[in-house]
Amino acid sequence: TDLPGAVDKLRAALSPRNALVSTVSRSFAPVAVETEPRYGTRFRSRSIAAERARWAEVRPDPELGLPRPNPFLPRSLALKAPRTAALPKGVPAP
């Protein structure tokens, strides 16, 4: 089933104010000052509030958007009753 407006709600929720940005690299090892308790992975956490404020000012590019629906994908996966072929004249039905 298709939820009306679900894609629009999701797109509206995608904003800089609720983004989680993760960057992973071995080159960050010297600045990793915290350790994750379960696996012992070293990491660093910092606020990027100033960067986020700048991101919020950027206007979306009108050329970017969702692709058009794929005409080769079915609209429904519900099962349908098989079609019954018309028997030629004079042939009794089974």
Side-chain angles (χ1 to χ4, degrees), residues 2-84:
D2 187 24
L3 300 174
V7 172
D8 292 330
K9 286 180 185 178
L10 177 63
R11 289 176 60 195
L14 297 175
S15 70
R17 77 175 183 286
N18 62 4
L20 172 64
V21 180
S22 298
T23 307
V24 180
S25 173
R26 290 184 192 270
S27 66
F28 296 150
V31 295
V33 293
E34 298 177 64
T35 303
E36 191 276 331
R38 182 169 294 188
Y39 297 106
T41 305
R42 295 180 64 219
F43 69 96
R44 175 182 171 203
S45 228
R46 69 180 181 100
S47 173
I48 57 169
E51 288 89 343
R52 281 191 200 195
R54 286 195 309 251
W55 296 346
E57 296 171 7
V58 176
R59 295 293 105 209
D61 186 339
E63 303 254 340
L64 295 176
L66 296 174
R68 284 185 247 136
N70 186 336
F72 300 104
L73 295 178
R75 290 189 184 106
S76 171
L77 296 176
L79 297 177
K80 293 184 176 183
R83 294 181 184 163
T84 55

